Amino acid sequence: MTTARRKPYGVKGAPYAFLLPATVLFSSFFALPIGYAVWLSFHKVHVFGLGLGKGARSEVWAGVENYTDALTDSELLDGALRVLGYGCIVVPVMLGLALLFALMLDAEKVRLAPFTRLAIFLPYAVPGVVAALLWGFLYLPDVSPFSFVLEKLGLPQPDLLDGGPLYLALSNIAVWGGTGFNMIVIYTSLRAVPAEVYEAAKLDGATPLQIALRIKIPMVASSLVLTFFFSIIATLQVFNEPTTLKPLTNSVSTTWSPLMKVYRDAFGTGDIHQAAAEAVIIALATLVLSFGFLRAANRRDKQEAAG
């Protein structure tokens, strides 16, 4: 007599049970806040009379009015231009140094390679606010040891927190903190390249410089695309550095970057609906730029593979 095998209770629902905690966290702390921000961006507060008393303020449908105001706001547009100039300095310098350090560490007969990797990566472990405060005091002429040395040598002391040098000061903080992470990503890809590839190149008479330019860099192209993608997102979302340096200089306004404009409108002037619309615009701009860059990179890879 045979008996039918009974399936263990709950086997079919086990995958959903494992996914449930992640789904709840994703919905609670990611999807719902985004949806609420989008909902706020299509509303505004309507004030009746002097705005005093019960029912004097009500939330009404605004349509695309908040988006129209944001896209025609000169402060938001000026902040976007400043971030564009900031990114033109940060992204190429940071990725160039990360690639250079990765190639140097991957070279043969490198001394103290583990210590060097740690020294380059360590600034990334420093919180952004702490790094901005550290460099901010190094920039101040009254407390900076660099200004003291320049004064003793009779050399001019540039004010890095005013005018054009401010871009260099802010970019230096980002480069100092982000180069190590990008270097680790590129260096990991270099270590994954089979040693036989380099040995074959050496047998063909290739120099170390030729190996780096013609073999190593093309082999880590995907890592370069990834780090460039992350750098674009971080640049568009710059907030910590200018906000932290703002008390130290009058050159940084409350709307220096788009995210600072969002913060001021939400918590300074109390216009949370306008701030929500600006945040949605920044998110969409980041999505469009990132998607466009990834699509262009994928198209280029397909053309190279077909060729």
Side-chain angles (χ1 to χ4, degrees):
M1 181 175 180
T2 59
T3 58
R5 294 184 59 184
R6 296 180 59 187
K7 294 184 179 181
Y9 178 76
V11 170
K12 292 183 178 181
Y16 302 100
F18 285 118
L19 290 175
L20 182 61
T23 304
V24 172
L25 291 175
F26 176 83
S27 302
S28 302
F29 298 100
F30 192 80
L32 288 179
I34 292 177
Y36 183 58
V38 174
W39 185 86
L40 286 174
S41 68
F42 288 106
H43 291 77
K44 67 178 182 179
V45 175
H46 184 69
V47 181
F48 297 93
L50 297 178
L52 303 176
K54 184 178 181 181
R57 294 172 176 267
S58 62
E59 200 169 45
V60 298
W61 176 262
V64 296
E65 181 180 343
N66 292 325
Y67 290 94
T68 303
D69 294 340
L71 293 174
T72 56
D73 191 338
S74 60
E75 290 183 330
L76 185 64
L77 298 177
D78 291 341
L81 292 176
R82 282 189 288 266
V83 168
L84 178 62
Y86 166 83
C88 290
I89 299 174
V90 171
V91 175
V93 174
M94 181 168 58
L95 295 186
L97 288 175
L99 178 61
L100 177 63
F101 291 149
L103 292 173
M104 293 174 63
L105 289 173
D106 193 58
E108 295 182 353
K109 301 179 181 179
V110 179
R111 297 181 179 180
L112 302 176
F115 173 78
T116 306
R117 287 198 303 269
L118 179 62
I120 298 173
F121 179 78
L122 190 59
Y124 178 74
V126 179
V129 175
V130 176
L133 283 174
L134 171 65
W135 282 102
F137 284 107
L138 291 177
Y139 293 150
L140 285 176
D142 295 336
V143 297
S144 174
F146 303 120
S147 298
F148 176 77
V149 173
L150 293 175
E151 182 182 1
K152 293 300 181 181
L153 296 176
L155 299 175
Q157 305 174 40
D159 188 359
L160 297 176
L161 296 178
D162 186 27
L166 177 63
Y167 285 87
L168 299 178
L170 291 170
S171 301
N172 175 66
I173 299 174
V175 171
W176 181 78
T179 300
F181 171 79
N182 294 311
M183 181 272 296
I184 290 296
V185 174
I186 299 172
Y187 177 74
T188 303
S189 297
L190 286 173
R191 301 301 296 176
V193 177
E196 293 80 4
V197 177
Y198 301 144
E199 294 175 359
K202 292 177 183 177
L203 292 175
D204 290 338
T207 63
L209 180 60
Q210 291 174 331
I211 292 176
L213 296 177
R214 299 182 181 181
I215 298 179
K216 291 185 176 182
I217 294 180
M219 294 288 283
V220 298
S222 59
S223 296
L224 292 174
V225 170
L226 179 65
T227 53
F228 187 79
F229 174 72
F230 288 153
S231 300
I232 289 178
I233 295 177
T235 299
L236 293 174
Q237 297 178 351
V238 59
F239 179 82
N240 288 335
E241 293 84 355
T243 302
T244 306
L245 293 184
K246 183 182 176 301
L248 306 179
T249 176
N250 294 325
S251 298
V252 179
S253 64
T254 56
T255 59
W256 192 89
S257 71
L259 280 187
M260 292 178 67
K261 173 73 164 53
V262 174
Y263 182 86
R264 191 205 66 177
D265 289 345
F267 304 105
T269 61
D271 192 353
I272 192 172
H273 301 87
Q274 182 68 28
E278 294 167 351
V280 172
I281 291 175
I282 295 173
L284 290 176
T286 305
L287 177 64
V288 170
L289 290 176
S290 303
F291 179 77
F293 171 73
L294 290 177
R295 186 171 182 180
N298 291 334
R299 184 184 299 127
R300 181 177 175 272
D301 293 339
K302 291 180 180 179
Q303 291 176 353
E304 291 181 352

